[in-house]
Amino acid sequence: HCWEVEVGNKTKWDVGVLKESINRKGIINVSPEEGFWAVALRNGHEYSACTTAWTRLWLKRKPQRVRVELDYDRGEVAFFDPTDMTPIYTFRDTFSERLFPYFSPCVNEDGRNPGALRICPGKVSIQIG
């Protein structure tokens, strides 16, 4: 399964997958231990993989879109800049329940994080013969 999320020029967001049974009440810690496999942007330029202690990522450019690729059977969630398929980060784990796309546009604090995240339509091609 794969999809692309348009993140545009937002200054803060999370994108990834989550397991069906996550805790939806109280403070949510985005990490694999809590059922989230995601990457995040904070402060407009600080990219991180949402590991137990978040892992800082150094990207060459600010992606306008993030591609998420889930291979459930292989236990991988991979993130790419779809412009040139530059890898951003790959999680490797064992999944034991249903997973769903996870998107958080985060809070628009005093107008500093306007806009929405947008799931981009997929490109479908069929080859015959």
Side-chain angles (χ1 to χ4, degrees):
H1 303 284
C2 64
W3 57 92
E4 290 182 13
V5 180
E6 186 173 306
V7 294
N9 290 314
K10 291 183 66 56
T11 59
K12 189 175 182 181
W13 47 258
D14 300 347
V15 171
V17 299
L18 55 76
K19 66 182 183 178
E20 185 172 29
S21 65
I22 63 151
N23 179 19
R24 291 175 169 80
K25 297 185 182 207
I27 295 173
I28 296 172
N29 295 310
V30 179
S31 71
E33 290 75 22
E34 299 297 325
F36 294 83
W37 295 267
V39 294
L41 171 66
R42 297 294 184 267
N43 302 315
H45 63 278
E46 297 172 3
Y47 295 91
S48 297
C50 303
T51 52
T52 302
W54 282 22
T55 302
R56 184 78 185 265
L57 304 173
W58 304 96
L59 306 186
K60 291 182 180 178
R61 68 175 170 269
K62 182 180 177 98
Q64 294 297 298
R65 291 184 178 192
V66 174
R67 180 180 178 90
V68 182
E69 293 188 4
L70 168 63
D71 187 328
Y72 189 95
D73 295 330
R74 289 181 62 196
E76 291 186 355
V77 181
F79 300 87
F80 300 89
D81 179 339
T83 304
D84 58 4
M85 291 305 289
T86 300
I88 295 173
Y89 192 81
T90 300
F91 287 91
R92 290 177 179 81
D93 210 332
T94 301
F95 306 125
S96 59
E97 62 182 270
R98 294 190 335 166
L99 300 177
F100 295 91
Y102 165 63
F103 316 98
S104 174
C106 298
V107 177
N108 183 7
E109 299 163 340
D110 300 321
R112 290 177 290 174
N113 190 35
L117 297 179
R118 188 172 73 87
I119 302 168
C120 302
K123 295 176 182 158
V124 178
S125 65
I126 299 172
Q127 185 174 9
I128 300 174

